[in-house]
Amino acid sequence: MKTPARAFAFAALLALLSTHAAAAPRWWQRAVFYEIYPRSFQDTNGDGVGDLNGITRRLDYLRALGVDAVWVTPFYPSPQVDFGYDVSDYEDVDPQFGTLADFDRLVKEAHKRNIRVVIDFVLNHTSDRHPFFIESRSSKTSRKRDWYVWRDPKPDGSRPNNWSSSFGPVAWTLDEKTGQYFYHYFYPQQPELNWRNPEVERRMLETVRFWLKRGADGFRLDAVNYLYEDPQLRDNPVLPELRFGSTTEHEQEKKYNRDLPEVQDAMVRLRAFNDRVNPESVLIGEAYVPKWEELMRYYGPSNNGVHLPFNFFLVMEPARSKLDAKVFRSVIEASEKALQGRWTTYVLSNHDIPRHYDRLGDGKNNDLIAKLTATMLLSLRGSPFLYYGEEIGMVTTEPKTVEEVRDPVGKRYWPLRKGRDGERTPMQWDASTHAGFTTGAPWLPVPPSAKEKNVAAQERDPDSLLNFYKRLIALRRRSPALLDGDYASLGDDPHVYAYRRRAPGQTAIVALNMSAERRAFKLPPVMRAGPFVYNVALSSRPAPGHARGVSGELTLAPFEAVILTARSL
Ligand code: GLC
């Protein structure tokens, strides 16, 4: 029996521990994530398509780079219409990518190196070749008919409403045999699951259990904001602007098929299920939404939804204005204001958007600009997501003729829209034929730039972008201010975007000269007691003209990025 005093002390200790546990950052808050598009990373069997064994082979490279987690895009059995985002079996590996045993080995080897493995979960739609859909379309009375969104034509035979498909033009396809239309926000080969049917949800949650039991560390939830549709299927308002790539189709406000409130409830249930199976597993939601308030809902009413709704604002806003200190500052300030201390992600490139190396580059100083944007990505308050190849400055290499295009959306809208092949070209490992990616014929051509721009060459050059990423990640890893500190913008210079990150014991100042001129940056007055001197912890210039200790003013070379640190008093 415990005495009351001992019981009290025990309870107090427990309370202390749990407060501490609540405050301690979760692994994914401190992680540097690295997105791998498996088709294009490393082929090991000579078929020209990357595979899971290729990722395993390159784990030491990833460890040396300093990443803490990989996110692997779909490798499940699939007809590959949308290169894996059309899943025909959720619980297996497509033979082009390997086997379940290869997956197990990848997880085991990654974990040995302290790298976590996050996988893609395509829960909004299946392939039209998935047995669920085959059964669903077999007859109007099929047991799985209601697993998808089927509707009768309008009396004149036309489609049930005006919704457009993301890949164009329309989101409904008539099934001749049963005389009804099915809904697909993406390609017709990607019919939408009906999440209003509880059996669908139950079955999809089983997929979560399957992969968590196999050792996955979390999920990137694909296109999660399209999970539910308006039950009345009302028409979406049509906007005056033309959609990207088309001269006839108009954009729509996706009022009735995106971000319906029901999505948030489903996320809360998914999170609860996830936490029951493995509370360490992270949920990362893909939701391109126009406004911050909409993204905030994904966190759940009491932070019990998705852990990390992808924050694409850094991609969406500056895309229009290139490198602009004012735009970056305002995007991050808006993020911080909306987040109210919640954790976020930062991302500049992925498999759906042109690479930022050329998107944000000015064509003359791209390497310097890539170092500057890397500094920003890895020093903001949030978890950074790198996209394979950005650490060596891979460029977007679009197909030159329509015959070369592999991504169906590029075929459809050629030449105004060339599809996503440009950002999915094979990883450039060395200067050999096919850049060390494959010994066969690569599924997408290796960019000509691979001859000079590759991992092997950059490993040898101390000033390369690759070595800069390594230094930056290493600095971040040992800096409490960069990992956990709060954020405050410094000043309103139109050319220098600067901010302070402050944690107990350390303050970091990041100054990014987003112009081609030399610029003076005034250090802020000493925060608490002073005076104290900042150390130049990192500069993107090989031989920066700064003394090691800085106080007062700092002159930044064109496009220079500097991180200063000091002990907080
Ligand atoms: C997501 C994926 C994209 C895919 C689409 C349909 O947006 O990132 O690549 O085409 O979903 O699954």
PDB file of all heavy atoms in Angstrom, residues 161-163 183 185 196 225-237 252-262:
ATOM      1  N   ASN A 161     -23.981  16.605 -63.589  1.00  0.00           N
ATOM      2  CA  ASN A 161     -23.783  18.032 -63.303  1.00  0.00           C
ATOM      3  C   ASN A 161     -22.581  18.545 -64.099  1.00  0.00           C
ATOM      4  O   ASN A 161     -22.014  17.822 -64.924  1.00  0.00           O
ATOM      5  CB  ASN A 161     -23.647  18.300 -61.792  1.00  0.00           C
ATOM      6  CG  ASN A 161     -22.382  17.686 -61.209  1.00  0.00           C
ATOM      7  OD1 ASN A 161     -21.436  17.367 -61.935  1.00  0.00           O
ATOM      8  ND2 ASN A 161     -22.354  17.505 -59.903  1.00  0.00           N
ATOM      9  N   ASN A 162     -22.179  19.802 -63.785  1.00  0.00           N
ATOM     10  CA  ASN A 162     -21.153  20.430 -64.641  1.00  0.00           C
ATOM     11  C   ASN A 162     -19.724  20.243 -64.126  1.00  0.00           C
ATOM     12  O   ASN A 162     -18.801  20.861 -64.640  1.00  0.00           O
ATOM     13  CB  ASN A 162     -21.448  21.937 -64.768  1.00  0.00           C
ATOM     14  CG  ASN A 162     -21.083  22.715 -63.498  1.00  0.00           C
ATOM     15  OD1 ASN A 162     -20.851  22.122 -62.420  1.00  0.00           O
ATOM     16  ND2 ASN A 162     -21.004  24.035 -63.590  1.00  0.00           N
ATOM     17  N   TRP A 163     -19.493  19.411 -63.137  1.00  0.00           N
ATOM     18  CA  TRP A 163     -18.167  19.349 -62.531  1.00  0.00           C
ATOM     19  C   TRP A 163     -17.097  18.968 -63.545  1.00  0.00           C
ATOM     20  O   TRP A 163     -17.272  18.038 -64.339  1.00  0.00           O
ATOM     21  CB  TRP A 163     -18.139  18.338 -61.380  1.00  0.00           C
ATOM     22  CG  TRP A 163     -19.005  18.734 -60.231  1.00  0.00           C
ATOM     23  CD1 TRP A 163     -19.657  19.933 -60.056  1.00  0.00           C
ATOM     24  CD2 TRP A 163     -19.336  17.923 -59.098  1.00  0.00           C
ATOM     25  NE1 TRP A 163     -20.368  19.917 -58.885  1.00  0.00           N
ATOM     26  CE2 TRP A 163     -20.189  18.698 -58.271  1.00  0.00           C
ATOM     27  CE3 TRP A 163     -19.003  16.635 -58.693  1.00  0.00           C
ATOM     28  CZ2 TRP A 163     -20.702  18.223 -57.079  1.00  0.00           C
ATOM     29  CZ3 TRP A 163     -19.509  16.151 -57.499  1.00  0.00           C
ATOM     30  CH2 TRP A 163     -20.346  16.939 -56.701  1.00  0.00           C
ATOM     31  N   TYR A 183     -18.389   9.068 -61.168  1.00  0.00           N
ATOM     32  CA  TYR A 183     -17.673  10.323 -60.932  1.00  0.00           C
ATOM     33  C   TYR A 183     -16.182  10.072 -60.727  1.00  0.00           C
ATOM     34  O   TYR A 183     -15.792   9.133 -60.025  1.00  0.00           O
ATOM     35  CB  TYR A 183     -18.271  10.994 -59.685  1.00  0.00           C
ATOM     36  CG  TYR A 183     -17.488  12.178 -59.156  1.00  0.00           C
ATOM     37  CD1 TYR A 183     -17.245  13.292 -59.956  1.00  0.00           C
ATOM     38  CD2 TYR A 183     -16.987  12.184 -57.851  1.00  0.00           C
ATOM     39  CE1 TYR A 183     -16.523  14.373 -59.476  1.00  0.00           C
ATOM     40  CE2 TYR A 183     -16.274  13.263 -57.359  1.00  0.00           C
ATOM     41  CZ  TYR A 183     -16.036  14.352 -58.180  1.00  0.00           C
ATOM     42  OH  TYR A 183     -15.324  15.403 -57.710  1.00  0.00           O
ATOM     43  N   TYR A 185     -12.843  12.704 -60.106  1.00  0.00           N
ATOM     44  CA  TYR A 185     -12.266  14.053 -60.141  1.00  0.00           C
ATOM     45  C   TYR A 185     -10.978  14.058 -60.966  1.00  0.00           C
ATOM     46  O   TYR A 185     -10.616  15.046 -61.576  1.00  0.00           O
ATOM     47  CB  TYR A 185     -12.002  14.581 -58.716  1.00  0.00           C
ATOM     48  CG  TYR A 185     -11.418  15.962 -58.763  1.00  0.00           C
ATOM     49  CD1 TYR A 185     -12.189  17.022 -59.212  1.00  0.00           C
ATOM     50  CD2 TYR A 185     -10.085  16.191 -58.434  1.00  0.00           C
ATOM     51  CE1 TYR A 185     -11.653  18.290 -59.334  1.00  0.00           C
ATOM     52  CE2 TYR A 185      -9.543  17.453 -58.547  1.00  0.00           C
ATOM     53  CZ  TYR A 185     -10.330  18.502 -59.002  1.00  0.00           C
ATOM     54  OH  TYR A 185      -9.797  19.753 -59.137  1.00  0.00           O
ATOM     55  N   ARG A 196     -19.274   8.239 -48.190  1.00  0.00           N
ATOM     56  CA  ARG A 196     -20.503   8.287 -47.379  1.00  0.00           C
ATOM     57  C   ARG A 196     -20.938   6.875 -47.000  1.00  0.00           C
ATOM     58  O   ARG A 196     -21.793   6.711 -46.136  1.00  0.00           O
ATOM     59  CB  ARG A 196     -21.615   8.999 -48.144  1.00  0.00           C
ATOM     60  CG  ARG A 196     -21.285  10.463 -48.360  1.00  0.00           C
ATOM     61  CD  ARG A 196     -22.445  11.250 -48.893  1.00  0.00           C
ATOM     62  NE  ARG A 196     -21.996  12.583 -49.218  1.00  0.00           N
ATOM     63  CZ  ARG A 196     -21.881  13.575 -48.339  1.00  0.00           C
ATOM     64  NH1 ARG A 196     -22.218  13.389 -47.083  1.00  0.00           N
ATOM     65  NH2 ARG A 196     -21.427  14.753 -48.724  1.00  0.00           N
ATOM     66  N   ASN A 225      -8.701  16.378 -49.809  1.00  0.00           N
ATOM     67  CA  ASN A 225      -9.809  17.346 -49.734  1.00  0.00           C
ATOM     68  C   ASN A 225     -10.936  17.041 -50.725  1.00  0.00           C
ATOM     69  O   ASN A 225     -11.951  17.717 -50.727  1.00  0.00           O
ATOM     70  CB  ASN A 225      -9.326  18.793 -49.885  1.00  0.00           C
ATOM     71  CG  ASN A 225      -8.389  19.008 -51.034  1.00  0.00           C
ATOM     72  OD1 ASN A 225      -7.786  18.062 -51.551  1.00  0.00           O
ATOM     73  ND2 ASN A 225      -8.245  20.246 -51.457  1.00  0.00           N
ATOM     74  N   TYR A 226     -10.753  16.020 -51.545  1.00  0.00           N
ATOM     75  CA  TYR A 226     -11.811  15.670 -52.503  1.00  0.00           C
ATOM     76  C   TYR A 226     -12.631  14.451 -52.069  1.00  0.00           C
ATOM     77  O   TYR A 226     -13.379  13.890 -52.856  1.00  0.00           O
ATOM     78  CB  TYR A 226     -11.198  15.422 -53.885  1.00  0.00           C
ATOM     79  CG  TYR A 226     -10.669  16.699 -54.490  1.00  0.00           C
ATOM     80  CD1 TYR A 226      -9.322  17.039 -54.397  1.00  0.00           C
ATOM     81  CD2 TYR A 226     -11.538  17.592 -55.108  1.00  0.00           C
ATOM     82  CE1 TYR A 226      -8.850  18.229 -54.910  1.00  0.00           C
ATOM     83  CE2 TYR A 226     -11.077  18.791 -55.624  1.00  0.00           C
ATOM     84  CZ  TYR A 226      -9.728  19.095 -55.524  1.00  0.00           C
ATOM     85  OH  TYR A 226      -9.277  20.284 -56.030  1.00  0.00           O
ATOM     86  N   LEU A 227     -12.489  14.055 -50.809  1.00  0.00           N
ATOM     87  CA  LEU A 227     -13.102  12.820 -50.330  1.00  0.00           C
ATOM     88  C   LEU A 227     -14.634  12.800 -50.443  1.00  0.00           C
ATOM     89  O   LEU A 227     -15.220  11.761 -50.715  1.00  0.00           O
ATOM     90  CB  LEU A 227     -12.721  12.637 -48.855  1.00  0.00           C
ATOM     91  CG  LEU A 227     -12.049  11.355 -48.411  1.00  0.00           C
ATOM     92  CD1 LEU A 227     -10.958  10.932 -49.339  1.00  0.00           C
ATOM     93  CD2 LEU A 227     -11.479  11.537 -46.994  1.00  0.00           C
ATOM     94  N   TYR A 228     -15.261  13.930 -50.212  1.00  0.00           N
ATOM     95  CA  TYR A 228     -16.737  13.963 -50.193  1.00  0.00           C
ATOM     96  C   TYR A 228     -17.284  14.894 -51.275  1.00  0.00           C
ATOM     97  O   TYR A 228     -16.652  15.896 -51.618  1.00  0.00           O
ATOM     98  CB  TYR A 228     -17.249  14.472 -48.844  1.00  0.00           C
ATOM     99  CG  TYR A 228     -17.144  13.432 -47.765  1.00  0.00           C
ATOM    100  CD1 TYR A 228     -15.940  13.234 -47.094  1.00  0.00           C
ATOM    101  CD2 TYR A 228     -18.236  12.645 -47.417  1.00  0.00           C
ATOM    102  CE1 TYR A 228     -15.824  12.270 -46.105  1.00  0.00           C
ATOM    103  CE2 TYR A 228     -18.132  11.680 -46.420  1.00  0.00           C
ATOM    104  CZ  TYR A 228     -16.929  11.497 -45.776  1.00  0.00           C
ATOM    105  OH  TYR A 228     -16.825  10.547 -44.805  1.00  0.00           O
ATOM    106  N   GLU A 229     -18.496  14.552 -51.734  1.00  0.00           N
ATOM    107  CA  GLU A 229     -19.183  15.374 -52.721  1.00  0.00           C
ATOM    108  C   GLU A 229     -20.533  15.805 -52.152  1.00  0.00           C
ATOM    109  O   GLU A 229     -21.105  15.105 -51.315  1.00  0.00           O
ATOM    110  CB  GLU A 229     -19.427  14.590 -54.018  1.00  0.00           C
ATOM    111  CG  GLU A 229     -18.169  14.118 -54.728  1.00  0.00           C
ATOM    112  CD  GLU A 229     -17.515  12.909 -54.050  1.00  0.00           C
ATOM    113  OE1 GLU A 229     -18.260  12.038 -53.544  1.00  0.00           O
ATOM    114  OE2 GLU A 229     -16.267  12.857 -53.996  1.00  0.00           O
ATOM    115  N   ASP A 230     -21.016  16.907 -52.642  1.00  0.00           N
ATOM    116  CA  ASP A 230     -22.339  17.379 -52.261  1.00  0.00           C
ATOM    117  C   ASP A 230     -23.377  16.295 -52.580  1.00  0.00           C
ATOM    118  O   ASP A 230     -23.437  15.828 -53.725  1.00  0.00           O
ATOM    119  CB  ASP A 230     -22.625  18.653 -53.080  1.00  0.00           C
ATOM    120  CG  ASP A 230     -24.022  19.171 -52.878  1.00  0.00           C
ATOM    121  OD1 ASP A 230     -24.502  19.114 -51.729  1.00  0.00           O
ATOM    122  OD2 ASP A 230     -24.628  19.617 -53.865  1.00  0.00           O
ATOM    123  N   PRO A 231     -24.207  15.896 -51.599  1.00  0.00           N
ATOM    124  CA  PRO A 231     -25.180  14.825 -51.891  1.00  0.00           C
ATOM    125  C   PRO A 231     -26.165  15.210 -52.996  1.00  0.00           C
ATOM    126  O   PRO A 231     -26.645  14.363 -53.726  1.00  0.00           O
ATOM    127  CB  PRO A 231     -25.893  14.608 -50.557  1.00  0.00           C
ATOM    128  CG  PRO A 231     -25.291  15.530 -49.567  1.00  0.00           C
ATOM    129  CD  PRO A 231     -24.241  16.361 -50.218  1.00  0.00           C
ATOM    130  N   GLN A 232     -26.433  16.527 -53.112  1.00  0.00           N
ATOM    131  CA  GLN A 232     -27.373  16.931 -54.191  1.00  0.00           C
ATOM    132  C   GLN A 232     -26.663  17.156 -55.519  1.00  0.00           C
ATOM    133  O   GLN A 232     -27.299  17.507 -56.507  1.00  0.00           O
ATOM    134  CB  GLN A 232     -28.067  18.227 -53.801  1.00  0.00           C
ATOM    135  CG  GLN A 232     -28.899  18.139 -52.550  1.00  0.00           C
ATOM    136  CD  GLN A 232     -29.306  19.541 -52.112  1.00  0.00           C
ATOM    137  OE1 GLN A 232     -29.768  20.345 -52.902  1.00  0.00           O
ATOM    138  NE2 GLN A 232     -29.106  19.840 -50.838  1.00  0.00           N
ATOM    139  N   LEU A 233     -25.363  17.024 -55.508  1.00  0.00           N
ATOM    140  CA  LEU A 233     -24.562  17.193 -56.736  1.00  0.00           C
ATOM    141  C   LEU A 233     -24.862  18.514 -57.454  1.00  0.00           C
ATOM    142  O   LEU A 233     -25.040  18.545 -58.673  1.00  0.00           O
ATOM    143  CB  LEU A 233     -24.810  16.032 -57.701  1.00  0.00           C
ATOM    144  CG  LEU A 233     -24.451  14.625 -57.240  1.00  0.00           C
ATOM    145  CD1 LEU A 233     -24.662  13.641 -58.381  1.00  0.00           C
ATOM    146  CD2 LEU A 233     -23.003  14.540 -56.782  1.00  0.00           C
ATOM    147  N   ARG A 234     -24.896  19.596 -56.687  1.00  0.00           N
ATOM    148  CA  ARG A 234     -25.181  20.886 -57.332  1.00  0.00           C
ATOM    149  C   ARG A 234     -24.046  21.315 -58.272  1.00  0.00           C
ATOM    150  O   ARG A 234     -22.883  20.968 -58.026  1.00  0.00           O
ATOM    151  CB  ARG A 234     -25.375  21.965 -56.262  1.00  0.00           C
ATOM    152  CG  ARG A 234     -26.774  21.933 -55.683  1.00  0.00           C
ATOM    153  CD  ARG A 234     -26.875  22.765 -54.443  1.00  0.00           C
ATOM    154  NE  ARG A 234     -26.323  22.052 -53.287  1.00  0.00           N
ATOM    155  CZ  ARG A 234     -26.446  22.457 -52.019  1.00  0.00           C
ATOM    156  NH1 ARG A 234     -27.070  23.582 -51.759  1.00  0.00           N
ATOM    157  NH2 ARG A 234     -25.934  21.762 -51.029  1.00  0.00           N
ATOM    158  N   ASP A 235     -24.377  22.071 -59.302  1.00  0.00           N
ATOM    159  CA  ASP A 235     -23.358  22.575 -60.232  1.00  0.00           C
ATOM    160  C   ASP A 235     -22.385  23.495 -59.517  1.00  0.00           C
ATOM    161  O   ASP A 235     -22.798  24.297 -58.672  1.00  0.00           O
ATOM    162  CB  ASP A 235     -24.024  23.391 -61.356  1.00  0.00           C
ATOM    163  CG  ASP A 235     -24.560  22.498 -62.468  1.00  0.00           C
ATOM    164  OD1 ASP A 235     -24.347  21.267 -62.420  1.00  0.00           O
ATOM    165  OD2 ASP A 235     -25.190  23.055 -63.389  1.00  0.00           O
ATOM    166  N   ASN A 236     -21.128  23.416 -59.895  1.00  0.00           N
ATOM    167  CA  ASN A 236     -20.142  24.363 -59.368  1.00  0.00           C
ATOM    168  C   ASN A 236     -20.235  25.679 -60.131  1.00  0.00           C
ATOM    169  O   ASN A 236     -20.464  25.666 -61.353  1.00  0.00           O
ATOM    170  CB  ASN A 236     -18.728  23.808 -59.560  1.00  0.00           C
ATOM    171  CG  ASN A 236     -18.325  22.868 -58.446  1.00  0.00           C
ATOM    172  OD1 ASN A 236     -18.805  22.976 -57.322  1.00  0.00           O
ATOM    173  ND2 ASN A 236     -17.434  21.938 -58.753  1.00  0.00           N
ATOM    174  N   PRO A 237     -20.015  26.819 -59.447  1.00  0.00           N
ATOM    175  CA  PRO A 237     -19.988  28.092 -60.183  1.00  0.00           C
ATOM    176  C   PRO A 237     -18.827  28.114 -61.184  1.00  0.00           C
ATOM    177  O   PRO A 237     -17.725  27.668 -60.868  1.00  0.00           O
ATOM    178  CB  PRO A 237     -19.760  29.132 -59.079  1.00  0.00           C
ATOM    179  CG  PRO A 237     -20.108  28.438 -57.794  1.00  0.00           C
ATOM    180  CD  PRO A 237     -19.860  26.982 -58.009  1.00  0.00           C
ATOM    181  N   GLN A 252     -13.476  26.397 -62.455  1.00  0.00           N
ATOM    182  CA  GLN A 252     -14.685  26.374 -61.636  1.00  0.00           C
ATOM    183  C   GLN A 252     -14.311  26.629 -60.187  1.00  0.00           C
ATOM    184  O   GLN A 252     -13.213  26.275 -59.766  1.00  0.00           O
ATOM    185  CB  GLN A 252     -15.344  24.981 -61.700  1.00  0.00           C
ATOM    186  CG  GLN A 252     -15.849  24.618 -63.063  1.00  0.00           C
ATOM    187  CD  GLN A 252     -16.660  23.321 -63.061  1.00  0.00           C
ATOM    188  OE1 GLN A 252     -16.686  22.585 -62.087  1.00  0.00           O
ATOM    189  NE2 GLN A 252     -17.334  23.076 -64.171  1.00  0.00           N
ATOM    190  N   GLU A 253     -15.235  27.221 -59.460  1.00  0.00           N
ATOM    191  CA  GLU A 253     -15.049  27.285 -58.011  1.00  0.00           C
ATOM    192  C   GLU A 253     -15.553  25.940 -57.490  1.00  0.00           C
ATOM    193  O   GLU A 253     -16.728  25.608 -57.682  1.00  0.00           O
ATOM    194  CB  GLU A 253     -15.891  28.425 -57.448  1.00  0.00           C
ATOM    195  CG  GLU A 253     -15.729  28.584 -55.970  1.00  0.00           C
ATOM    196  CD  GLU A 253     -16.826  29.453 -55.376  1.00  0.00           C
ATOM    197  OE1 GLU A 253     -17.430  30.279 -56.084  1.00  0.00           O
ATOM    198  OE2 GLU A 253     -17.098  29.255 -54.178  1.00  0.00           O
ATOM    199  N   LYS A 254     -14.678  25.184 -56.835  1.00  0.00           N
ATOM    200  CA  LYS A 254     -15.066  23.798 -56.507  1.00  0.00           C
ATOM    201  C   LYS A 254     -15.872  23.747 -55.215  1.00  0.00           C
ATOM    202  O   LYS A 254     -15.515  23.107 -54.239  1.00  0.00           O
ATOM    203  CB  LYS A 254     -13.818  22.916 -56.443  1.00  0.00           C
ATOM    204  CG  LYS A 254     -13.116  22.943 -57.781  1.00  0.00           C
ATOM    205  CD  LYS A 254     -11.928  22.072 -57.873  1.00  0.00           C
ATOM    206  CE  LYS A 254     -11.223  22.292 -59.196  1.00  0.00           C
ATOM    207  NZ  LYS A 254     -10.342  23.488 -59.206  1.00  0.00           N
ATOM    208  N   LYS A 255     -16.971  24.476 -55.285  1.00  0.00           N
ATOM    209  CA  LYS A 255     -17.778  24.685 -54.085  1.00  0.00           C
ATOM    210  C   LYS A 255     -18.413  23.379 -53.585  1.00  0.00           C
ATOM    211  O   LYS A 255     -18.569  23.181 -52.393  1.00  0.00           O
ATOM    212  CB  LYS A 255     -18.884  25.678 -54.466  1.00  0.00           C
ATOM    213  CG  LYS A 255     -19.647  26.238 -53.343  1.00  0.00           C
ATOM    214  CD  LYS A 255     -20.484  27.411 -53.817  1.00  0.00           C
ATOM    215  CE  LYS A 255     -21.410  27.831 -52.691  1.00  0.00           C
ATOM    216  NZ  LYS A 255     -22.327  28.871 -53.143  1.00  0.00           N
ATOM    217  N   TYR A 256     -18.764  22.513 -54.511  1.00  0.00           N
ATOM    218  CA  TYR A 256     -19.546  21.335 -54.107  1.00  0.00           C
ATOM    219  C   TYR A 256     -18.785  20.015 -54.170  1.00  0.00           C
ATOM    220  O   TYR A 256     -19.365  18.963 -53.959  1.00  0.00           O
ATOM    221  CB  TYR A 256     -20.820  21.259 -54.948  1.00  0.00           C
ATOM    222  CG  TYR A 256     -21.743  22.419 -54.673  1.00  0.00           C
ATOM    223  CD1 TYR A 256     -22.016  23.368 -55.659  1.00  0.00           C
ATOM    224  CD2 TYR A 256     -22.310  22.577 -53.413  1.00  0.00           C
ATOM    225  CE1 TYR A 256     -22.847  24.448 -55.391  1.00  0.00           C
ATOM    226  CE2 TYR A 256     -23.142  23.650 -53.136  1.00  0.00           C
ATOM    227  CZ  TYR A 256     -23.408  24.590 -54.127  1.00  0.00           C
ATOM    228  OH  TYR A 256     -24.223  25.645 -53.847  1.00  0.00           O
ATOM    229  N   ASN A 257     -17.500  20.066 -54.505  1.00  0.00           N
ATOM    230  CA  ASN A 257     -16.775  18.776 -54.497  1.00  0.00           C
ATOM    231  C   ASN A 257     -15.395  18.880 -53.845  1.00  0.00           C
ATOM    232  O   ASN A 257     -14.580  17.987 -54.004  1.00  0.00           O
ATOM    233  CB  ASN A 257     -16.652  18.186 -55.913  1.00  0.00           C
ATOM    234  CG  ASN A 257     -15.982  19.110 -56.897  1.00  0.00           C
ATOM    235  OD1 ASN A 257     -15.795  20.287 -56.623  1.00  0.00           O
ATOM    236  ND2 ASN A 257     -15.618  18.577 -58.044  1.00  0.00           N
ATOM    237  N   ARG A 258     -15.132  19.965 -53.132  1.00  0.00           N
ATOM    238  CA  ARG A 258     -13.839  20.066 -52.452  1.00  0.00           C
ATOM    239  C   ARG A 258     -14.045  20.620 -51.047  1.00  0.00           C
ATOM    240  O   ARG A 258     -14.868  21.517 -50.851  1.00  0.00           O
ATOM    241  CB  ARG A 258     -12.928  21.008 -53.241  1.00  0.00           C
ATOM    242  CG  ARG A 258     -11.538  21.075 -52.662  1.00  0.00           C
ATOM    243  CD  ARG A 258     -10.617  21.943 -53.485  1.00  0.00           C
ATOM    244  NE  ARG A 258     -10.960  23.346 -53.302  1.00  0.00           N
ATOM    245  CZ  ARG A 258     -10.463  24.324 -54.036  1.00  0.00           C
ATOM    246  NH1 ARG A 258      -9.611  24.075 -55.002  1.00  0.00           N
ATOM    247  NH2 ARG A 258     -10.813  25.566 -53.816  1.00  0.00           N
ATOM    248  N   ASP A 259     -13.279  20.071 -50.085  1.00  0.00           N
ATOM    249  CA  ASP A 259     -13.268  20.613 -48.719  1.00  0.00           C
ATOM    250  C   ASP A 259     -14.640  20.659 -48.071  1.00  0.00           C
ATOM    251  O   ASP A 259     -14.952  21.601 -47.337  1.00  0.00           O
ATOM    252  CB  ASP A 259     -12.655  22.014 -48.694  1.00  0.00           C
ATOM    253  CG  ASP A 259     -11.195  21.985 -49.063  1.00  0.00           C
ATOM    254  OD1 ASP A 259     -10.460  21.198 -48.455  1.00  0.00           O
ATOM    255  OD2 ASP A 259     -10.786  22.731 -49.969  1.00  0.00           O
ATOM    256  N   LEU A 260     -15.473  19.679 -48.327  1.00  0.00           N
ATOM    257  CA  LEU A 260     -16.758  19.636 -47.632  1.00  0.00           C
ATOM    258  C   LEU A 260     -16.505  19.340 -46.147  1.00  0.00           C
ATOM    259  O   LEU A 260     -15.539  18.653 -45.814  1.00  0.00           O
ATOM    260  CB  LEU A 260     -17.653  18.545 -48.254  1.00  0.00           C
ATOM    261  CG  LEU A 260     -18.609  19.054 -49.331  1.00  0.00           C
ATOM    262  CD1 LEU A 260     -17.882  19.760 -50.449  1.00  0.00           C
ATOM    263  CD2 LEU A 260     -19.466  17.933 -49.887  1.00  0.00           C
ATOM    264  N   PRO A 261     -17.358  19.861 -45.247  1.00  0.00           N
ATOM    265  CA  PRO A 261     -17.094  19.684 -43.809  1.00  0.00           C
ATOM    266  C   PRO A 261     -16.954  18.214 -43.412  1.00  0.00           C
ATOM    267  O   PRO A 261     -16.229  17.885 -42.473  1.00  0.00           O
ATOM    268  CB  PRO A 261     -18.307  20.309 -43.121  1.00  0.00           C
ATOM    269  CG  PRO A 261     -19.092  21.000 -44.175  1.00  0.00           C
ATOM    270  CD  PRO A 261     -18.557  20.649 -45.522  1.00  0.00           C
ATOM    271  N   GLU A 262     -17.605  17.337 -44.152  1.00  0.00           N
ATOM    272  CA  GLU A 262     -17.530  15.904 -43.826  1.00  0.00           C
ATOM    273  C   GLU A 262     -16.091  15.390 -43.876  1.00  0.00           C
ATOM    274  O   GLU A 262     -15.748  14.426 -43.196  1.00  0.00           O
ATOM    275  CB  GLU A 262     -18.367  15.081 -44.812  1.00  0.00           C
ATOM    276  CG  GLU A 262     -19.862  15.264 -44.676  1.00  0.00           C
ATOM    277  CD  GLU A 262     -20.407  16.402 -45.532  1.00  0.00           C
ATOM    278  OE1 GLU A 262     -19.679  17.396 -45.748  1.00  0.00           O
ATOM    279  OE2 GLU A 262     -21.558  16.307 -45.978  1.00  0.00           O
TER     280      GLU A 262
END
